[in-house]
């Protein structure tokens, strides 16, 4: 075998291997994370009704850019008309953004971090972490009073301010303004996916796993600080987990290293405790007890307090009370005024539930198809698993038809939830955060109609076992993020269990109570009834000793679900007609995953928040990084469903390179063969 032949073979093999490597690389999926902007701000513009003209957008700020520079660049990028003639003396004057018809006496106003600007848009240099809002407003400016507080690991208040923010400003604006008034630094960053997230407040020392979770009126927030528009009287509270979360809080003894006071044995002889007196059993739960409690709650508490939200309307419809005409009329007016547009998918979902429970077709309500607003929603996962679970519940509530080309079919929603289940069996609000009893119970309700499928049934069984393992000896689910043992969590579990055919009073959910309890054994229904108040309502916490509207609504829904379970074995309380099309979800592959639509990341603060409250956890919370693109406008088109910025690996470039290599290799091979022939 001569040298020329060996040379030809070597070149050919080398070029084939190189080509194969490039082809493999070019077709390998490339993981892309969202961009944490080094110098970022957010910008939005709304009309006099609060409707978005320029959706909330994260932008990468160049050195020295003014608010007007950012507005001009973003409106150009989004193809939004901007009418701002330049005056030689005073600079640009904003006549209009978009095609808004300005009411008499109103004009475009700039608000910076919750405060009306004292200079023109071209006179303010944008800083990292700024929040810019352009809004149609008159004078004097409308303001909203919001209480903002921040509590560290030891319970110390870092912030405790009541601020007046420009109406239409975000929860993030309120926090920024509170920090300014208290002279406490609010260290925040802007992310292209998550918008604003809080790194730290003041000089608080944070541990590796510490993060600021956010609560609205004592309930974990369902959406991010940047997305939430506060109402007057709201209380936004940021909390760090207590030091006892990671341990006892006792300092380790330097000599013994056993965490005990000096001289104390690590294994002392236990002191015998006197046997406690036998405690009486809790009152047994009967159909009569449940029926009487439902009637008392509906007739007394809700007659007095009226319908304050859509879920209360659902509960009262199920009871059989006719909704006041004023509720439907107000809902009609609201939807027409908003042109059928809501920021969060859960808004559509709860409206659909309330309408469907009242025998109203939500696919054609005052000229709007609210069902389509769900199954083609671009922000389906922006609230984490919460939005997805409620979507299934709403779509199945009236057996609504979903087209096969919908962005979110029933199959896609079920797949998504199955993929999100954690090893423990529970579900969290957001990726990389701890399991939530509330979210897990809600997903049980969502998956109930599909449990005849093996993989769905397996997921349900695993979740039920996890919930049972988390129930404490007093019958509830105590959690410091809820402030303790919240009745809403117990209610949510009852709704979820009855939906999948599990008895909430059965042995699996009947616990041996502690000495301090009123009984030796207590189940979920008995535990829920301990929260009942004299006015017929239910308390959020036992220590509150007063009724809470949301807690009362959840309790009514739970008792109605249990009533159905006792009477007729009905599945989900929210199913007003069964879906007639079987949705088959493929079995999981070898990696225990099935393909789902690419999710939008749920909005969270600066790290994953434990989703532990009644509906979900704070959404502005997970800091991620990404190589920034070349454009100054690093943004996520979250509200309009535009294409994401192209930050992925240049697939087509790699393919072209591979083709070029193949051509070069072929040419070299031909050349060497000709040389061999001419030799």
């Amino acid at each position: 075998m001569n040298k020329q032949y060996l040379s030809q073979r070597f070149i050919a093999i080398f070029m084939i291997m190189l080509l194969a490597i490039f082809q493999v690389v070019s077709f390998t999926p490339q993981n892309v994370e969202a961009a944490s902007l080094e110098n970022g701000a957010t910008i939005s513009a709304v009309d006099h009704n609060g409707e978005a003209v320029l959706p909330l957008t994260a932008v990468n700020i160049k050195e020295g850019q003014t608010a007007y520079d950012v507005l001009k660049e973003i409106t150009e990028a989004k193809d939004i008309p901007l009418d701002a003639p330049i005056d030689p003396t005073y600079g640009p004057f904003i006549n209009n953004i978009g095609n808004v018809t300005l009411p008499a006496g109103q004009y475009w106003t700039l608000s910076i971090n919750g405060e009306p600007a004292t200079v023109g848009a071209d006179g303010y240099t944008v800083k990292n972490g700024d929040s810019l809002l352009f809004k149609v407003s008159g004078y004097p400016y409308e303001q909203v009073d919001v209480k903002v507080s921040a509590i560290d690991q030891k319970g110390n208040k870092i912030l405790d301010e009541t601020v007046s923010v420009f109406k239409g400003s975000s929860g993030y604006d309120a926090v920024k303004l509170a920090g300014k008034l208290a002279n406490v630094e609010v260290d925040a960053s802007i992310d292209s996916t998550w918008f604003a997230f809080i790194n730290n407040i003041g000089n608080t020392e944070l541990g590796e796993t510490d993060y600021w979770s956010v609560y609205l009126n004592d309930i974990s927030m369902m959406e991010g600080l940047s997305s939430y528009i506060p109402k007057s009287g709201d209380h936004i509270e940021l909390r760090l987990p207590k030091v006892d979360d990671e341990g006892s809080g006792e300092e380790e003894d330097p000599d013994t290293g056993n965490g005990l006071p000096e001289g104390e044995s690590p294994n002392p002889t236990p002191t015998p405790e006197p046997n406690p007196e036998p405690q009486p059993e809790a009152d047994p739960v009967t159909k009569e007890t449940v029926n009487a409690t439902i009637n008392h709650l509906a007739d007394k508490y809700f007659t007095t307090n009226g319908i304050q939200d859509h879920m209360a309307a659902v509960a009262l419809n199920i009871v059989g009370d006719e909704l006041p005409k004023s509720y439907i009329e107000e809902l009609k007016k609201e939807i027409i005024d908003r042109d059928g547009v809501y920021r969060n998918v859960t808004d559509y979902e709860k409206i659909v539930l309330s309408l469907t429970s009242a025998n109203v077709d939500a696919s054609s309500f005052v000229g709007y198809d609210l069902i389509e607003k769900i199954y083609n929603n671009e922000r389906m996962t922006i609230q984490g698993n919460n939005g997805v679970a409620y979507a299934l519940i709403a779509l199945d509530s009236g057996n609504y038809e979903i087209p096969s080309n919908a962005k979110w079919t029933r199959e896609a929603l079920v797949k998504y939830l199955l993929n999100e289940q954690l090893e423990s069996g529970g579900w969290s609000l957001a990726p990389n955060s701890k399991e939530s009893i509330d979210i897990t119970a809600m997903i049980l309700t969502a998956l109930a109609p599909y449990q005849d499928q093996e993989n769905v049934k397996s997921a349900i069984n695993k979740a039920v076992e996890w919930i049972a393992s988390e129930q404490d000896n007093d019958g509830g689910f105590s959690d410091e993020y809820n402030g303790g043992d919240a009745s809403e969590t117990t209610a949510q579990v009852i709704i979820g269990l009855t939906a999948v055919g599990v008895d909430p009073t059965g042995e699996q959910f009947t616990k041996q109570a502690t000495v301090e309890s009123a009984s030796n054994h207590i189940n979920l229904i008995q535990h829920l009834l301990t929260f009942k108040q004299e006015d017929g309502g239910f308390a959020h916490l036992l220590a509150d000793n007063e009724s809470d509207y949301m807690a009362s609504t959840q309790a009514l829904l739970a008792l109605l679900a249990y009533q159905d379970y006792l009477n007729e074995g009905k599945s989900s309380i929210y199913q007003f007609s069964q879906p007639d099309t079987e949705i088959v979800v493929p079995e999981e592959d070898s990696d225990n995953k099935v393909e789902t639509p690419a999710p939008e990341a749920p909005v969270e603060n600066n790290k994953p928040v434990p989703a532990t409250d009644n509906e979900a956890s704070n959404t502005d919370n997970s800091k991620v990084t990404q190589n920034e693109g070349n454009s100054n406008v690093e943004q996520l088109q979250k509200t309009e469903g535009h294409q994401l910025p192209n930050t992925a690996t240049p697939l087509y470039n790699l393919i072209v390179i591979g083709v070029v290599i193949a051509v070069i290799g072929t040419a070299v091979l031909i050349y060497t063969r000709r040389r061999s022939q001419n030799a």
Side-chain angles (χ1 to χ4, degrees), residues 463-484:
V464 170
E465 290 176 6
W466 177 73
I467 292 175
S469 71
E470 293 293 307
Q471 186 184 12
D472 60 38
N473 286 334
D474 290 325
F477 303 90
S478 184
D479 193 302
E480 69 154 305
Y481 292 97
N482 289 339

Side-chain angles (χ1 to χ4, degrees), residues 94-137:
I94 299 173
N95 285 330
N96 214 343
I97 303 171
N99 296 308
V100 176
T101 301
L102 299 179
Q106 298 200 3
Y107 48 88
W108 284 97
T109 302
L110 169 63
S111 168
I112 304 166
N113 301 324
E115 294 183 291
T118 57
V119 295
D122 66 327
Y124 178 77
T125 302
V126 184
K127 304 179 184 62
N128 183 46
D130 275 349
S131 168
L132 307 177
L133 169 66
F134 289 87
K135 182 185 177 183
V136 175
S137 174

Side-chain angles (χ1 to χ4, degrees), residues 367-640:
Y368 294 96
D369 185 350
L370 302 178
I371 302 303
E372 190 274 338
K373 298 286 189 179
I374 296 175
Y375 65 67
N376 278 336
N377 200 286
E378 297 288 345
R379 291 168 54 86
M380 178 66 74
T381 62
I382 208 68
Q383 293 165 276
N385 291 326
N386 192 44
V388 180
Y390 261 118
L392 263 182
I393 292 170
L395 296 175
D396 286 346
S397 67
N399 189 25
Y400 289 105
E401 184 177 350
I402 312 301
S404 59
N405 63 346
K407 180 176 176 62
W408 290 97
T409 62
R410 286 184 172 91
E411 182 183 22
L413 293 165
V414 173
K415 283 181 181 180
Y416 182 91
L417 292 176
L418 291 181
N419 281 352
E420 289 296 302
Q421 188 173 30
L422 303 176
E423 278 299 315
S424 64
W427 276 271
S428 63
L429 170 69
N432 303 317
S433 56
K434 66 176 282 190
E435 306 96 328
S436 162
I437 297 291
D438 298 89
I439 293 296
T440 301
M442 189 186 306
I443 291 174
L444 286 182
T445 306
L447 294 177
Y450 311 98
Q451 59 182 320
D452 58 339
Q453 299 168 38
E454 187 176 342
N455 52 348
V456 177
K457 184 63 175 176
S458 175
I460 287 173
N461 291 340
K462 192 174 180 182
V464 170
E465 290 176 6
W466 177 73
I467 292 175
S469 71
E470 293 293 307
Q471 186 184 12
D472 60 38
N473 286 334
D474 290 325
F477 303 90
S478 184
D479 193 302
E480 69 154 305
Y481 292 97
N482 289 339
D485 177 13
S487 67
E488 295 95 325
T489 301
T490 299
Q492 196 70 257
V493 170
I494 292 169
I495 295 169
L497 292 179
T498 54
V500 297
V502 175
D503 187 354
T505 67
E507 182 178 350
Q508 189 177 17
F509 290 95
T510 299
K511 301 299 179 182
Q512 177 72 44
T514 61
V515 176
E516 292 80 10
S517 279
S519 68
N520 281 335
H521 298 88
I522 188 167
N523 59 50
L524 287 169
I525 300 294
Q526 289 169 327
H527 181 66
L528 179 61
L529 293 176
T530 63
F531 292 86
K532 184 181 177 184
Q533 304 298 304
E534 290 184 2
D535 63 355
F538 280 65
H540 168 57
L541 303 172
L542 281 174
D544 291 345
N545 292 319
E546 63 179 1
S547 295
D548 174 84
Y549 195 87
M550 179 179 286
S552 300
T553 300
Q554 292 294 314
L556 180 54
L557 288 167
L559 293 171
L560 288 167
Y562 184 59
Q563 184 184 61
D564 282 346
Y565 175 84
L566 291 176
N567 291 340
E568 54 189 77
K570 180 182 175 182
S571 185
S572 168
I573 189 177
Y574 302 116
Q575 278 195 318
F576 306 109
S577 64
Q578 293 284 343
D580 56 15
T581 303
E582 183 181 4
I583 305 301
V584 178
V585 180
E587 294 293 332
E588 296 179 355
D589 59 22
S590 57
D591 295 323
N592 294 322
K593 294 289 182 183
V594 287
E595 186 180 355
T596 63
E600 296 177 60
V603 188
E604 294 204 329
N605 215 339
N606 65 317
K607 292 184 181 178
V609 169
T612 54
D613 213 330
N614 310 325
E615 291 197 273
S617 217
N618 163 44
T619 44
D620 257 17
N621 280 356
S622 282
K623 184 174 182 180
V624 287
T625 58
Q626 168 196 8
N627 295 330
E628 295 183 13
N630 296 326
S631 170
N632 178 49
V633 185
E634 286 292 325
Q635 55 198 5
L636 179 65
Q637 314 281 8
K638 301 178 77 171
T639 57
E640 295 188 337

